[in-house]
Amino acid sequence: MGGIAMFFALTLAVAGTRVLIGMTEGGLSSNTKVTMNADGTKDVKAAPPPQPAPPPPPPTREHWAVVVAGSRRYWNYRHQSDVCHAYQLLKARGFDDDHVITMVYDDIANNYWQSREFYGKIFNRPGGPDVYKGCAKDYTGTDVSAENFYKVLSGDKKGMEGVGSGRVVESTENDDIFFFFSDHGSVGLVGMPAGSYIWADEFNKVVEKMAKDKKFYEMVIYMESCEAGSMFEGLLKKDIGVYALSAANATESSWATYCSDSDLSITPRPSQIGTCMGDLFSTKWMEDSEHFNPLNETLHEQFIKVARETGREANHGYGSAVLQYGEIKIDNETVANFMVDEDPEKVKAEFEGDPLTDHEFLSKFNHKIERDDPLVRFANYLPGTNQHVDQRDADMVFFMQRASTTNDLEEQDVMLSELRNSLVARRKVDMDIRAVVGGLLQMRNSEKHPLPNHMGAAVERMVSHHMGRPGSGKPAVDDFDCLRGMMSHWEEQCGRVTDYSMKYSRTFANLCNEGISVEDFAASVANVCGGRGGRVEKEAEDYLQTHQSHEPSQRIVVS
């Protein structure tokens, strides 16, 4: 019926008027409205387009969290206190037990070095609450490993059957994940108390696969360790819904805090605990989260405050550069999106009024507030002796605190002896690493790689510098298998990598990036260390086992 309109008509009798809404073939368009008037005339008008269906309600975003302390030994007290504090913070914000997964070695609260007064307790700041009470421990002891961590984070429930609580992150593409880690680290890695390290390349591959498998909507990572930035720089993609905050950049140490007394009226205080109570970056973000309304504060605002309070300028040179990585735009979201899982009205009620006027809180923790700068919540916390200590020197603080606070002369002698032994061991590692590098330069001597005129300067550059990588957007090392190989040979020949000697992964990264082979490195290490690694490891373990009793110390501490 070419040229003749075919109508499927709906006829409505309205005050003598018929309205025909036509669907035509070769005639009027499907959204045309034809009105027949009473006098027989027609009005042809375009009908309004159909209204789109209302959007479906947004899916419920569940909140998950994984908090991990990667160390053991009493002088690393602060890492487990950081993590138990984080657990308490998340629980107070409505997280269910099965949505906060905790990994801690759990050798601090009931440690030999704990005094009877604080036995079975852990504190993250002077005068603060016991964060160990009620702190869930899903995985402890040797279950706290990189392999198990990857399974927990990625939701491998089958892989964790029969291990610890067996809990894993069972998130969907609609859910958010918050991951907090606290321990020692170095270029391209962070430590774990059992098994291998968490390597930067492996960790980022796990996160990328989770994104590809739609295991989360967004993920936020807070990483407390030395050279934490090297875990993300040049590795964490910017378009997979992951935002990371590092306690330090890719070249520097992060800092322990609450390491010395500032107010003798406060209990507990560092001298009573005997070591540093927290880490600077960690305590700053948690104290900020506790005292600012997470419904109003964005991740960006928290970053600005924590970066300033953790930085060198605010801490008389004792601080680090907090940096952002990944999908930075996520920082426009509120802290509550990742750290709150309860009724917003309850949260609002907690933060009525200005927290800056909480004089009781300020006097309790002896914080000075710079009121002319709204971005600064806590200012310098610096008593006569330094509050902040390089993470790698915190074990020295432990020995010094013990030696200076005990009334037991025998214990004092032991602590001073341990302090001397640690300093000697550090000096030995410093010399060994330089001897290994010098040997490699000698082995490499050729027309293409002639010996440098200033051998000492060349060795020092390879040992201590970062060879221009940080800030370039490149990973700290091109070949992580090379870095893993060198670390393995060092431990086999020269002894266990300690909290201090871990820093020399930067040297191994430099050697790998300069094209030094793992085989040549192994030969140079064997020549310098002569395979004493196993003996040194056994001696260290034997000593530590005799000082890991789960009975409180009998010592008397000066109060």
Side-chain angles (χ1 to χ4, degrees):
M1 300 176 65
I4 301 176
M6 297 181 63
F7 289 91
F8 298 94
L10 172 65
T11 304
L12 303 176
V14 181
T17 300
R18 290 188 304 160
V19 179
L20 303 180
I21 301 176
M23 295 176 60
T24 73
E25 178 183 328
L28 299 175
S29 65
S30 61
N31 65 339
T32 301
K33 181 172 72 175
V34 179
T35 303
M36 300 296 295
N37 298 321
D39 60 0
T41 60
K42 299 180 181 179
D43 285 336
V44 181
K45 297 180 180 179
Q51 294 298 311
T60 301
R61 289 171 67 174
E62 289 193 19
H63 297 81
W64 293 84
V66 178
V67 291
V68 179
S71 69
R72 54 178 176 159
R73 311 302 190 210
Y74 192 77
W75 46 81
N76 289 320
Y77 180 106
R78 62 199 180 279
H79 300 137
Q80 293 184 43
S81 73
D82 290 341
V83 163
C84 279
H85 187 178
Y87 172 85
Q88 302 289 1
L89 173 65
L90 294 168
K91 281 290 292 179
R93 294 288 178 265
F95 275 73
D96 293 329
D97 274 337
D98 60 353
H99 279 53
V100 185
I101 302 167
T102 306
M103 304 182 80
V104 293
Y105 198 82
D106 196 26
D107 62 339
I108 300 302
N110 300 318
N111 194 279
Y112 170 86
W113 296 112
Q114 280 274 32
S115 66
R116 285 194 176 276
E117 183 179 2
F118 304 115
Y119 189 70
K121 300 178 181 179
I122 296 178
F123 304 89
N124 197 222
R125 61 175 175 247
D130 172 17
V131 295
Y132 187 72
K133 184 178 181 180
C135 179
K137 297 170 285 294
D138 291 286
Y139 301 97
T140 61
T142 56
D143 290 341
V144 185
S145 66
E147 181 183 4
N148 286 341
F149 161 67
Y150 294 144
K151 292 176 182 177
V152 167
L153 185 65
S154 60
D156 184 359
K157 196 171 183 66
K158 184 175 178 59
M160 294 306 291
E161 286 181 359
V163 182
S165 70
R167 288 175 178 163
V168 299
V169 175
E170 300 182 66
S171 54
T172 72
E173 61 183 313
N174 300 320
D175 300 339
D176 296 318
I177 301 174
F178 174 65
F179 167 47
F180 170 55
F181 178 90
S182 180
D183 185 28
H184 293 281
S186 190
V187 172
L189 60 91
V190 291
M192 287 295 267
S196 181
Y197 303 101
I198 294 176
W199 296 93
D201 64 328
E202 294 176 347
F203 171 67
N204 280 278
K205 286 176 183 176
V206 169
V207 171
E208 285 179 32
K209 188 175 187 307
M210 289 177 66
K212 183 179 179 181
D213 294 344
K214 298 183 178 180
K215 290 291 186 73
F216 58 82
Y217 180 69
E218 289 173 336
M219 180 188 294
V220 166
I221 302 169
Y222 280 18
M223 181 77 71
E224 172 76 69
S225 77
C226 296
E227 282 96 7
S230 69
M231 293 295 291
F232 309 110
E233 187 165 343
L235 294 167
L236 180 59
K237 292 185 177 179
K238 300 179 180 181
D239 59 355
I240 60 173
V242 181
Y243 166 82
L245 212 58
S246 67
N249 64 27
T251 71
E252 64 185 352
S253 296
S254 61
W255 291 75
T257 192
Y258 300 137
C259 297
S260 59
D261 296 348
S262 63
D263 186 343
L264 297 180
S265 68
I266 290 178
T267 298
R269 53 185 181 275
S271 65
Q272 294 173 318
I273 298 301
T275 188
C276 300
M277 299 175 71
D279 288 297
L280 185 57
F281 165 75
S282 297
T283 57
K284 291 301 182 185
W285 79 255
M286 284 186 279
E287 289 170 1
D288 177 84
S289 296
E290 288 171 331
H291 300 292
F292 279 87
N293 189 335
L295 298 173
N296 298 333
E297 183 181 38
T298 65
L299 290 170
H300 178 73
E301 290 169 336
Q302 184 167 87
F303 159 66
I304 292 295
K305 287 182 283 186
V306 172
R308 294 186 64 167
E309 293 163 20
T310 306
R312 293 177 182 273
E313 185 176 348
N315 296 293
H316 294 234
Y318 301 100
S320 58
V322 176
L323 297 179
Q324 298 173 299
Y325 297 92
E327 196 162 333
I328 307 298
K329 67 180 182 181
I330 292 174
D331 77 353
N332 290 320
E333 298 187 40
T334 65
V335 172
N337 278 9
F338 302 91
M339 302 184 203
V340 174
D341 197 27
E342 68 176 337
D343 183 354
E345 293 303 318
K346 292 182 180 179
V347 179
K348 289 178 183 177
E350 287 184 50
F351 292 92
E352 291 180 353
D354 182 2
L356 294 181
T357 63
D358 185 354
H359 298 295
E360 182 179 357
F361 173 79
L362 299 181
S363 61
K364 181 176 181 181
F365 297 114
N366 196 29
H367 290 117
K368 175 185 175 183
I369 301 301
E370 296 179 9
R371 292 184 175 276
D372 59 341
D373 187 349
L375 293 179
V376 176
R377 177 61 183 89
F378 299 107
N380 303 336
Y381 188 63
L382 298 171
T385 55
N386 188 35
Q387 270 289 310
H388 312 318
V389 174
D390 186 314
Q391 279 248 41
R392 295 192 177 101
D393 294 332
D395 58 336
M396 300 290 101
V397 173
F398 169 75
F399 294 130
M400 289 187 288
Q401 286 273 26
R402 294 296 176 189
S404 63
T405 59
T406 183
N407 287 330
D408 185 331
L409 295 181
E410 183 179 351
E411 183 181 352
Q412 186 177 73
D413 288 342
V414 170
M415 290 297 100
L416 290 175
S417 176
E418 285 303 310
L419 181 57
R420 294 189 194 97
N421 291 342
S422 294
L423 292 171
V424 169
R426 287 182 173 209
R427 180 57 180 158
K428 177 62 176 168
V429 169
D430 294 342
M431 292 190 295
D432 284 349
I433 198 76
R434 285 161 175 79
V436 168
V437 173
L440 284 167
L441 294 180
Q442 293 278 1
M443 291 168 59
R444 207 183 187 203
N445 183 20
S446 65
E447 185 175 339
K448 185 177 180 181
H449 300 287
L451 283 176
N453 293 329
H454 302 286
M455 189 70 168
V459 169
E460 199 59 38
R461 177 173 178 269
M462 192 72 75
V463 168
S464 301
H465 295 184
H466 290 270
M467 311 289 277
R469 279 297 176 100
S472 66
K474 297 179 181 179
V477 62
D478 295 321
D479 184 352
F480 273 90
D481 287 336
C482 174
L483 180 59
R484 278 186 279 271
M486 289 189 179
M487 287 287 283
S488 177
H489 282 292
W490 176 270
E491 291 196 318
E492 180 182 337
Q493 296 290 332
C494 301
R496 177 178 58 90
V497 170
T498 64
D499 299 341
Y500 173 78
S501 61
M502 189 185 288
K503 71 178 184 179
Y504 287 120
S505 74
R506 80 180 65 169
T507 306
F508 305 152
N510 289 339
L511 293 172
C512 290
N513 293 337
E514 285 292 301
I516 301 292
S517 71
V518 174
E519 292 73 21
D520 285 347
F521 176 83
S524 185
V525 167
N527 185 53
V528 170
C529 296
R532 68 171 182 271
R535 185 181 72 254
V536 172
E537 175 74 11
K538 185 176 186 307
E539 290 173 354
E541 285 298 320
D542 287 347
Y543 170 79
L544 289 166
Q545 286 302 320
T546 64
H547 292 80
Q548 291 297 316
S549 164
H550 286 277
E551 292 297 323
S553 173
Q554 300 296 321
R555 65 189 175 81
I556 301 172
V557 178
V558 177
S559 60

